[in-house]
């Protein structure tokens, strides 16, 4: 049994991870900003303040985790209205992350698992699935902050001996998903015609249950030492294929209109929504071969399993 601290433990991924860790017999403490929402048997620590300013002074007496999984972050949002997005993302995702890592190290942690994002590397692939050693070229404030945090943590690891493990997921989906994935299910349920029938590019996804399983392995397996892993289901779909699968599981016909991709890109330019359009029509596949090879990890759920569970949750709540 390991003692593990999870930040953002009552969030979308955090709840799934805590459940997996508890089921594995580990002692879990969840660091959260507001109490409630963690699975049973997780000890909640409410506090640490904005951007984790008080994490060292607020650290509970006797809390000596062996590993930390850092999920809490300022997440990527569309139409961010921050005056200086880079500065705001940096404050939480870089400075705040280092505060947690330094406090954890001071209190006995030997491993720090940082949940980054594939956006730290790129917004799309270059004709082959993205690997961990590909040059990083983040395109927005969120991706830049995640990559900067990776580099800062690796520097801290070199200076102190802290074992830093980096995990870069693509789009995460599952029950209680929000943002664009939820809006896509809304559109399918309502029968909204979607101009995505001609999109052939594929996108990697990761089901929240698969990501939780991989993170639990990264927190506890000695073979994960100082590794960087891309994690995905492995069953990459086109956006059109994803819509069809969602329609099947939602028991609704997918209304796909075959609009040429060039027209969609032109519409994106005219409406100043090129990044949003590229997330629909551009290819973003990730190679998760390293975690499968190094840790002998296999996703416990197929993409179809994950989509079925997500659709079941959606139908039960809408």
């Amino acid at each position: 049994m390991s003692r593990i601290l999870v930040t953002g433990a009552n969030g979308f991924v955090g709840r799934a991870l805590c459940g997996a860790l508890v089921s594995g017999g580990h002692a879990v403490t969840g660091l959260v900003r507001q109490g409630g929402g963690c699975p049973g048997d997780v000890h909640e620590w409410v506090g640490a303040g904005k951007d984790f300013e008080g994490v060292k002074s607020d650290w509970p007496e006797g809390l000596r985790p062996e590993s930390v999984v850092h999920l809490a972050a300022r997440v990527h949002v569309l139409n961010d209205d921050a005056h200086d997005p880079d500065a705001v993302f940096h404050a939480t995702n870089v400075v705040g992350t280092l505060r947690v890592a330094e406090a954890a190290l001071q209190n006995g942690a030997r491993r720090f698992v940082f949940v980054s994002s594939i956006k730290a590397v790129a917004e799309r692939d270059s004709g082959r699935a993205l690997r961990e050693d590909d040059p990083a070229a983040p395109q927005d404030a969120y991706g830049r902050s995640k990559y900067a945090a990776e580099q800062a943590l690796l520097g801290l690891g070199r200076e102190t001996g802290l074992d830093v493990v980096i995990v870069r997921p693509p789009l995460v989906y599952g029950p209680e998903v929000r943002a664009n994935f939820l809006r896509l299910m809304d559109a399918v349920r309502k029968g909204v015609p979607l101009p995505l029938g001609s999109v052939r590019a594929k996108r990697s996804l990761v089901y929240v249950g698969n990501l939780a399983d991989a993170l639990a392995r990264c927190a506890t397996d000695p073979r994960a030492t100082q590794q960087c892993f891309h994690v995905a289901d492995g069953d990459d779909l086109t956006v059109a294929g994803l819509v069809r699968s969602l329609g099947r599981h939602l028991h609704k016909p997918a209304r796909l209109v075959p609009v040429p991709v060039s027209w969609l890109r032109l519409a994106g330019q005219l409406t100043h929504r090129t990044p949003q359009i590229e997330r629909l029509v551009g290819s973003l596949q990730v190679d998760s071969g390293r975690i499968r090879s190094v840790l002998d990890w296999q996703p416990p759920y197929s993409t179809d399993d994950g989509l079925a569970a997500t659709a079941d949750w959606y139908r039960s709540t809408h």
Side-chain angles (χ1 to χ4, degrees), residues 118-269:
I118 200 63
K119 288 172 69 68
V121 182
E123 293 286 348
R124 58 181 302 171
D125 63 52
S126 58
R128 64 162 176 79
L130 294 171
R131 298 194 296 252
E132 291 84 352
D133 57 355
D134 282 332
Q139 298 296 306
D140 64 8
Y142 173 70
R144 287 189 289 270
S145 72
K146 284 294 192 178
Y147 182 68
E150 292 181 9
Q151 298 307 299
L153 286 169
L154 292 173
L156 179 66
R158 289 190 293 269
E159 293 171 7
T160 65
L162 180 66
D163 176 14
V164 175
V165 181
I166 295 167
V167 178
R168 295 173 178 154
L171 175 66
V172 185
Y173 69 98
E176 301 183 42
V177 69
R178 295 290 182 264
N180 287 339
F181 204 95
L182 179 60
R183 286 193 280 272
L184 183 60
M185 287 194 290
D186 286 338
V188 173
R189 175 178 65 88
K190 295 174 182 176
V192 176
L194 298 170
L196 305 171
S198 297
V199 177
R200 298 289 179 263
K202 292 186 176 182
R203 311 284 293 191
S204 292
L205 309 170
V206 62
Y207 177 54
V208 67
N210 289 337
L211 178 57
D213 187 78
L215 291 174
R217 184 77 65 88
C218 288
T220 58
D221 193 320
R223 295 173 295 177
T225 296
Q226 297 179 344
Q227 290 284 344
C228 176
F229 295 122
H230 291 175
V231 180
D233 290 345
D235 304 321
D236 297 344
L237 301 173
T238 65
V239 175
L242 173 62
V243 171
R244 292 189 187 97
S245 294
L246 284 173
R248 175 165 52 86
H249 289 300
L250 290 171
H251 307 151
K252 297 286 185 180
R255 301 187 65 189
L256 288 162
V257 180
V259 176
V261 171
S262 59
W263 292 13
L264 295 175
R265 286 194 164 114
L266 177 60
Q269 294 172 7

Side-chain angles (χ1 to χ4, degrees), residues 104-127:
L105 181 65
Q106 183 177 298
N107 287 277
R110 299 191 296 270
R111 175 173 291 181
F112 192 90
V113 181
F114 177 59
V115 183
S116 183
S117 168
I118 200 63
K119 288 172 69 68
V121 182
E123 293 286 348
R124 58 181 302 171
D125 63 52
S126 58

